[in-house]
Amino acid sequence: MTILSKQSGEEYKKQNYSERMKKTGRPVSPHVTIYSFPVTALTSITIRVTGMAMSVGCFGLGAIELAGGSGAAAATMEMIGNSGALVSAPAKFCVAFPLVYHYLGAVRHFVWDKYPDATLTTEQAKTASYGLVGGSLLVSGVMLIL
């Protein structure tokens, strides 16, 4: 164990990790950005993001209703819907995709919880993740046309 004097201890605290490693000649540990996340992890993160997006959307609609009075949220949605395809189609997708993705993600997790031995191999989880993304995009695209 190395014992530091009070003065050298204070100097040590002022240096950041990279500076200390340069002085020792040891390489700095790689940052998380050099690693490739598995698709299963990315889809799991996306489920959480879509849940947050839906919460923000609900909060926004509630705030519009509180600020604008009864029917203000419905009027806002009607105004967006009547704004033409360049505005309404992306708006519909921004509502449909998180709903569909989050729902299908919940179904995937239900199946994983109910049948872990049959569905939780690495390859099956990877396939289910690609299916989740593809199915969500497909269903959301269909909902755009409706």
Side-chain angles (χ1 to χ4, degrees):
M1 180 167 114
T2 305
I3 298 178
L4 300 173
S5 68
K6 189 173 184 177
Q7 181 182 6
S8 63
E10 293 299 321
E11 290 174 16
Y12 181 81
K13 287 180 184 177
K14 290 179 184 176
Q15 298 173 350
N16 69 25
Y17 179 77
S18 298
E19 289 172 358
R20 290 194 311 262
M21 289 300 107
K22 281 181 186 176
K23 286 183 180 179
T24 62
R26 289 181 272 175
V28 175
S29 297
H31 194 268
V32 73
T33 58
I34 70 165
Y35 298 109
S36 147
F37 279 102
V39 67
T40 308
L42 293 173
T43 55
S44 182
I45 292 166
T46 308
I47 288 171
R48 288 159 176 78
V49 169
T50 57
M52 290 299 296
M54 290 187 296
S55 295
V56 168
C58 287
F59 177 81
L61 282 176
I64 290 170
E65 193 70 18
L66 285 173
S70 181
T76 302
M77 290 186 285
E78 187 175 344
M79 179 188 67
I80 292 170
N82 293 334
S83 296
L86 286 176
V87 174
S88 64
K92 280 173 114 176
F93 187 81
C94 287
V95 171
F97 181 77
L99 286 168
V100 171
Y101 189 89
H102 204 77
Y103 179 79
L104 292 180
V107 170
R108 179 184 75 169
H109 278 276
F110 173 77
V111 171
W112 282 355
D113 291 342
K114 187 80 171 160
Y115 310 103
D117 295 334
T119 58
L120 276 179
T121 66
T122 303
E123 278 306 310
Q124 288 171 328
K126 187 176 178 181
T127 302
S129 295
Y130 283 121
L132 172 61
V133 173
S136 298
L137 288 171
L138 180 71
V139 172
S140 298
V142 168
M143 291 177 91
L144 262 166
I145 311 170
L146 300 178

